[in-house]
Amino acid sequence: MAAEGKAIAKVNDLVIFVPYVVPGDVVDLQIKRKKNKYAEAEAVKFHELSPVRAVPFCQHYGVCGGCKWQVLPYSEQIKYKQKQVEDNLKRIGKIELPEISPILGSAKTEFYRNKLEFTFSNKRWLTNDEVRQDVKYDQMNAVGFHIPGAFDKVLAIEKCWLQDDISNRIRNAVRDYAYEHDYSFINLRSQEGMLRNMIIRTSSTGELMVIVICKITEDHEMELFKQLLQFIADSFPEITSLLYIINNKCNDTINDLDVHVFKGKDHIFEEMEGLRFKVGPKSFYQTNSEQAYNLYKIAREFAGLTGNELVYDLYTGTGTIANFVSRQARQVIGIEYVPEAIEDAKVNAEINEIKNTLFYAGDMKDMLTQEFINQHGRPDVIITDPPRAGMHQDVVDVILFAEPKRIVYVSCNPATQARDLQLLDGKYKVKAVQPVDMFPHTHHVENVVLLELR
């Protein structure tokens, strides 16, 4: 297996990356792209199936673009994720490592996500089989997921296995109501049509948020839209937060748009160890709630807190880690780029009556300066959970200047994590490594590394 969930074939010296196959499959390949050293291909005929193959359980497998590893048994998936972490740290990091702990698998491998976003489109994607058989649909409007590489086409989803089944029931009911009452679905090229997106969030507390996003240009459309929202409210009384957004822009981002409450509250709660975290329509929260709890427990354990430490939590998001470790620390200071996330972090501290956290919004490399450290104190522990691109060189430099006793580095990209560990290697030694699987059936893996001053 290789990066991005593809498998590798070799023909003479040419390395070929192939999706939707597993080691041991014997196949005919059709080359789709060729470079000097490698090519990308797809399997056009299977001669022999690998003994380690699993039967995909989703009817949309291989078309929607998600869950590429359904053809691998879960035990094999986590074996390759473990290898991915080890290869990245050894090959890219080129640093001395302790024995890497066995990966912590996810107890749930189906219906494990707490958030999904669906797209409406008037251009239904037809699969290769449907095109070959010249299938004609009365209804070319669809709600589902974007097809990789086709921004204006959407695969109509019947059943997705990622989120609690309530998500499927709501999506399909909205679709059927829209078909029956002749609602227009957006044309993503011409930007005409009413229904745009729908976001569904479930939570560990049993609360349920639905956000419907529409384009509204005339009064009668608003009336129609309200009728649809009323239908959702009546059909699904378990929804605790039914929200809507009017998006008349040319893109799908909602961060700069107002959110309106149709029914219920404007938020839901997640819960961990009696701590409550407020999740709004635009809030970031780890999408696998149960594994997020396990991940944060490992980060806290690695931090080795006794109650006397000053902790800096970099890329704090909505302050989940900061608030989670605060009981064991003297003070926790969280820094994050997104101002709205920092407002959420402050609210979460308030809800839980946490008095020893401080939160600051700003670009990490501009905020975390020597002056900042002089003002707030030298941290004993730094917890950092950067985006996929890893940490900016300036941030690494300030961490080196701050000289915390311990650094806990949480990463969703072991390759950029390995690069950053190499930059810290002169002053810090890696003491422990714990991979955690947050996203079964995908190639993504989280990794927690503990570093201590040499």
Side-chain angles (χ1 to χ4, degrees), residues 194-208:
M194 189 169 130
L195 297 177
R196 287 191 76 131
N197 309 87
M198 181 163 61
I199 300 167
I200 299 176
R201 298 186 92 140
T202 48
S203 89
S204 54
T205 58
E207 291 171 291
L208 176 59

Side-chain angles (χ1 to χ4, degrees), residues 134-146:
D134 199 25
V135 173
K136 295 279 188 286
Y137 284 102
D138 302 337
Q139 186 55 264
M140 285 307 285
N141 287 332
V143 57
F145 298 130
H146 278 284

Side-chain angles (χ1 to χ4, degrees), residues 142-330:
V143 57
F145 298 130
H146 278 284
I147 284 292
F151 86 94
D152 62 332
K153 291 193 169 70
V154 162
L155 177 70
I157 297 290
E158 275 303 319
K159 177 168 184 168
C160 175
W161 293 77
L162 284 171
Q163 189 178 25
D164 186 291
D165 202 48
I166 186 72
S167 172
N168 289 312
R169 297 202 299 276
I170 293 169
R171 183 196 59 251
N172 292 347
V174 169
R175 173 200 66 196
D176 294 348
Y177 182 91
Y179 285 173
E180 200 181 314
H181 296 85
D182 209 20
Y183 280 61
S184 60
F185 288 34
I186 194 104
N187 176 324
L188 289 160
R189 282 189 188 272
S190 69
Q191 288 293 309
E192 294 165 312
M194 189 169 130
L195 297 177
R196 287 191 76 131
N197 309 87
M198 181 163 61
I199 300 167
I200 299 176
R201 298 186 92 140
T202 48
S203 89
S204 54
T205 58
E207 291 171 291
L208 176 59
M209 177 186 283
V210 176
I211 310 151
V212 189
I213 302 147
C214 277
K215 179 171 185 167
I216 303 283
T217 50
E218 294 171 35
D219 291 347
H220 78 277
E221 289 176 330
M222 195 63 212
E223 192 45 48
L224 277 174
F225 186 30
K226 290 277 173 81
Q227 287 168 18
L228 169 65
L229 291 165
Q230 193 57 56
F231 162 76
I232 298 170
D234 295 342
S235 307
F236 298 95
E238 55 269 63
I239 294 172
T240 55
S241 171
L242 180 54
L243 312 174
Y244 68 92
I245 296 173
I246 310 298
N247 179 7
N248 293 343
K249 302 181 301 169
C250 292
N251 63 49
D252 286 341
T253 58
I254 60 168
N255 283 342
D256 53 345
L257 298 173
D258 293 334
V259 181
H260 308 276
V261 178
F262 184 80
K263 180 198 155 202
K265 300 176 298 188
D266 66 352
H267 60 274
I268 55 177
F269 281 103
E270 279 287 353
E271 202 170 277
M272 272 185 214
E273 289 187 356
L275 291 174
R276 288 163 68 75
F277 297 99
K278 184 181 177 183
V279 179
K282 300 176 188 176
S283 299
F284 171 78
Y285 193 84
Q286 281 280 11
T287 45
N288 182 341
S289 301
E290 286 179 25
Q291 276 299 79
Y293 176 43
N294 290 323
L295 182 76
Y296 297 154
K297 278 196 294 193
I298 291 160
R300 184 176 62 189
E301 185 191 320
F302 278 10
L305 303 174
T306 62
N308 299 320
E309 291 82 6
L310 171 61
V311 179
Y312 281 14
D313 181 29
L314 312 185
Y315 311 93
T316 189
T318 55
T320 316
I321 291 181
N323 286 316
F324 185 70
V325 304
S326 63
R327 289 173 180 168
Q328 280 81 15
R330 173 166 56 83

Side-chain angles (χ1 to χ4, degrees), residues 332-374:
V332 185
I333 296 173
I335 309 173
E336 166 62 43
Y337 179 66
V338 183
E340 291 84 2
I342 284 296
E343 289 316 303
D344 283 347
K346 289 174 179 172
V347 167
N348 286 328
E350 212 173 297
I351 290 165
N352 294 292
E353 296 178 359
I354 294 167
K355 303 279 195 290
N356 62 337
T357 52
L358 285 174
F359 293 103
Y360 294 96
D363 193 320
M364 193 63 56
K365 66 182 189 326
D366 302 333
M367 291 293 296
L368 187 67
T369 58
Q370 298 184 10
E371 198 183 324
F372 185 91
I373 287 168
N374 294 338

